[in-house]
């Protein structure tokens, strides 16, 4: 339940690396459908960055069109499969992203020291309100099967970024991704909850920039 505003603070740094494109993951209720829609609106060759749920889409996309992805970055993501019970909870709105965070209850997606930050909470609520119930229903209905073995088939350079205080994604799940990717670099952002592009935009931007330059992507 994040739109383009997720990346707002990182745009100045990322624009120095090339033209930015934002994938549409709002109209489909399958990872394959999302991946195909992103591909249809992307350049012939590109670096792919997937945040959280977007990492699940990125994994599918890399295998769908490996000749088009020159490098892939997974940020605060995972390849763990969701049980039927977890999927049903998400459909009912109880999972991460299920309901817009309230100013009085805090936002578990943020670092504990920032979970009541009024500016960040307003941005989170704004994204979820703009996307609305229909998009939430699409994303909650996603079937997420275990994909760690699939990662081993991704041959392009990869970057995996974990956030130390992420309360929505287990650190071990993200770290495990790097072990299964053949050509992966693993980085950790300290003092950061799940929402790295909003909480630590400069640090994440520097990691992405350094990786892209070192790999000559």
């Amino acid at each position: 339940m994040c739109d383009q505003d997720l990346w707002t603070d990182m745009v100045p740094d990322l624009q120095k690396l090339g033209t930015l494109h934002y994938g549409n993951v709002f109209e489909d209720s399958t990872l394959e459908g999302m991946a195909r829609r992103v591909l249809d609106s992307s350049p012939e060759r590109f670096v792919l960055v997937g945040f959280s749920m977007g990492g699940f889409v990125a994994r599918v996309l890399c295998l769908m069109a490996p000749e088009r992805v020159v490098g892939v970055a997974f940020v605060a993501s995972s390849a763990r499969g969701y049980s039927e019970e977890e999927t049903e909870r998400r459909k009912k709105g109880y999972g991460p992203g299920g309901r817009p965070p309230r100013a009085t209850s805090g936002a578990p997606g943020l670092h504990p020291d920032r979970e009541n930050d009024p500016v960040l909470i307003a941005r989170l609520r704004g994204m979820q309100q703009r996307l609305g119930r229909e998009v939430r229903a699409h994303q909650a209905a996603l079937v997420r099967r275990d994909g760690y073995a699939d990662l081993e088939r991704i041959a392009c350079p990869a970057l995996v970024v974990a956030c130390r205080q992420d309360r929505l994604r287990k650190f071990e799940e993200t770290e495990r991704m790097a072990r299964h990717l053949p050509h992966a670099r693993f980085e950790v952002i300290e003092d950061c909850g799940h929402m790295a592009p909003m909480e630590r935009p400069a640090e994440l931007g520097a990691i992405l920039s350094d990786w892209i330059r070192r790999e000559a992507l």
Side-chain angles (χ1 to χ4, degrees), residues 35-48 61-72 156:
R36 176 56 61 190
R37 191 178 297 274
V38 172
L39 271 173
D40 288 346
S41 62
S42 296
E44 188 60 29
R45 300 268 287 170
F46 56 94
V47 174
L48 178 62
L61 191 155
C62 284
L63 297 177
M64 185 180 288
E67 71 285 356
R68 295 182 60 184
V69 182
V70 298
V72 58
C156 67

Side-chain angles (χ1 to χ4, degrees), residues 50 72-79 148 151 157-163 169-189 204 207-208 211:
V72 58
F74 300 93
V75 181
S77 193
S78 172
Y148 286 106
L151 294 174
L159 171 69
V160 178
V161 180
C163 304
R169 184 73 61 208
K170 290 184 178 179
F171 185 91
E172 294 78 10
E173 293 179 25
T174 307
E175 183 182 35
R176 185 181 172 192
M177 297 182 76
R179 295 201 301 269
H180 282 267
L181 287 157
H183 306 289
R185 171 174 164 181
F186 180 63
E187 295 284 350
V188 179
I189 300 180
L204 179 56
I207 290 171
L208 285 167
W211 170 67

Side-chain angles (χ1 to χ4, degrees), residues 135-151:
V135 173
R136 190 179 80 184
H138 284 320
Q139 295 187 351
L142 287 174
V143 175
R144 308 195 198 191
R145 299 183 178 86
D146 190 277
Y148 286 106
D150 289 339
L151 294 174

Side-chain angles (χ1 to χ4, degrees), residues 82-136:
Y82 281 28
S83 68
E84 291 184 10
E85 181 181 359
E86 286 177 299
T87 300
E88 288 304 312
R89 282 204 306 270
R90 292 179 66 83
K91 287 181 181 179
K92 293 176 182 178
Y94 297 132
R99 291 192 178 100
R102 298 176 181 175
T104 56
S105 62
L110 299 172
H111 185 284
D113 291 344
R114 289 184 286 275
E115 65 180 356
N116 292 300
D117 184 305
V119 175
L120 291 176
I121 288 180
R123 289 179 65 188
L124 291 173
R125 294 186 68 186
M127 289 190 291
Q128 294 191 11
Q129 290 168 352
R130 285 192 295 274
L131 294 177
R133 293 182 178 274
E134 185 174 351
V135 173
R136 190 179 80 184

Side-chain angles (χ1 to χ4, degrees), residues 13-43:
D13 289 332
L14 295 182
Q15 281 183 332
K16 298 174 184 177
L17 302 171
T19 303
L20 304 182
H21 300 266
Y22 299 90
N24 180 347
V25 293
F26 311 123
E27 299 182 49
D28 301 275
S29 54
T30 67
L31 294 174
E32 291 76 15
M34 291 178 177
R36 176 56 61 190
R37 191 178 297 274
V38 172
L39 271 173
D40 288 346
S41 62
S42 296

